[in-house]
Amino acid sequence: SSTEARTFLQYRVDKNTELLGDLVPVGYPVEDTAILLVDDDGREVESGAIGEIVVQSRYLFPGYWRLPELTRERLFPDPAGGAGGMFHTGDLGRLLPDGSYEYHGRKDLQVKIRGFRVQIDEVENTLRAIPQIEQAVVISQQWRKEPRLVAYVVPRANQTMTSSGIRNFLQSRLPDYMIPALILFLESLPLTAGGKVNRAALQPPTDETAGFRSPPAAPPTALERVLVQPWAE
């Protein structure tokens, strides 16, 4: 379903439904609605390929309230001149042989790192699996003409953690190119008026060493307590 396009896919599941993969399909197009999968240039992708889900329907929303630029990015007239329009959802999908669609995340959360396609929410979900982490958001930042991943982490109350500890956890579960280059610790994440994480308000660091600063922790051994005193002074 979609607020902008009302319901445009339905998938009914019961105990007799046979699922052929790890992903549950998101559905079949409803009546009076056409679904297209397009690439970054707006061309339809080949059969079985992943593309952005575009809804062609007479029942689309007229536009985003007081957001004309976003409206122009997402909403287009029917190229054939029909009464309906074309809504670019920003979601990625793939058409299955039985005519249903499989969801593959958000287009704006997919980036290319060192030639590999990375789904940012997959990295975020792995970070949230760390017991000491309350919240985690990952963004892509251009640095020295190359994209890199930057993670913003909110630790749980009274929990101490380090960037190296987080990386060790991620390296046991993700390939190297999906490991964030920088990990920053925050007390809270910025939110939009609707209560969602405001990714645009997360300021990318300009100092390469910023991601290696961890919350302060007392030296755990007697020897470390002796060594740390001169440095503190």
Side-chain angles (χ1 to χ4, degrees):
S1 65
S2 168
T3 302
E4 294 92 341
R6 305 184 186 181
T7 298
F8 61 86
L9 289 174
Q10 288 183 344
Y11 192 73
R12 304 186 185 279
V13 179
D14 59 27
K15 63 181 180 180
N16 298 316
T17 302
E18 183 179 4
L19 300 176
L20 302 178
D22 296 332
L23 298 177
V24 177
V26 290
Y28 302 88
V30 299
E31 188 176 355
D32 287 341
T33 298
I35 303 297
L36 307 175
L37 298 177
V38 303
D39 60 19
D40 292 339
D41 296 322
R43 296 188 295 263
E44 287 195 59
V45 301
E46 298 179 357
S47 177
I50 295 175
E52 181 184 4
I53 298 175
V54 176
V55 182
Q56 184 175 7
S57 172
R58 294 181 295 166
Y59 309 108
L60 299 178
F61 73 128
Y64 291 101
W65 176 251
R66 294 182 176 177
L67 295 173
E69 292 185 6
L70 182 59
T71 299
R72 287 191 292 268
E73 289 176 7
R74 297 290 186 83
L75 200 62
F76 297 88
D78 184 348
M86 310 280 288
F87 170 53
H88 288 243
T89 66
D91 293 323
L92 296 173
R94 182 169 71 95
L95 179 63
L96 300 178
D98 68 349
S100 65
Y101 288 83
E102 198 173 61
Y103 177 68
H104 284 267
R106 291 284 303 169
K107 179 181 178 181
D108 52 9
L109 292 181
Q110 191 175 94
V111 297
K112 244 181 184 177
I113 304 293
R114 303 200 318 251
F116 295 96
R117 196 170 293 276
V118 175
Q119 193 68 35
I120 284 181
D121 51 1
E122 184 177 348
V123 183
E124 292 176 343
N125 290 336
T126 306
L127 280 166
R128 295 184 191 118
I130 300 176
Q132 295 90 343
I133 290 180
E134 178 73 29
Q135 295 175 293
V137 171
V138 177
I139 66 169
S140 174
Q141 177 202 32
Q142 287 293 122
W143 186 71
R144 294 182 180 176
K145 300 182 180 180
E146 291 291 335
R148 64 175 179 177
L149 297 180
V150 179
Y152 296 82
V153 171
V154 178
R156 294 188 185 277
N158 302 318
Q159 295 291 326
T160 299
M161 56 190 357
T162 64
S163 297
S164 58
I166 292 174
R167 285 195 177 84
N168 289 338
F169 180 92
L170 296 179
Q171 285 169 352
S172 67
R173 290 162 174 79
L174 297 174
D176 179 66
Y177 60 85
M178 294 179 70
I179 308 297
L182 298 178
I183 299 174
L184 306 177
F185 295 90
L186 302 178
E187 293 183 359
S188 63
L189 296 175
L191 302 178
T192 65
K196 297 182 179 180
V197 175
N198 187 357
R199 294 173 183 271
L202 292 167
Q203 296 297 324
T206 56
D207 183 355
E208 179 64 17
T209 63
F212 300 97
R213 296 177 187 151
S214 304
T221 68
L223 176 59
E224 289 185 14
R225 285 192 290 271
V226 172
L227 292 173
V228 79
Q229 188 60 35
W231 293 102
E233 292 174 357

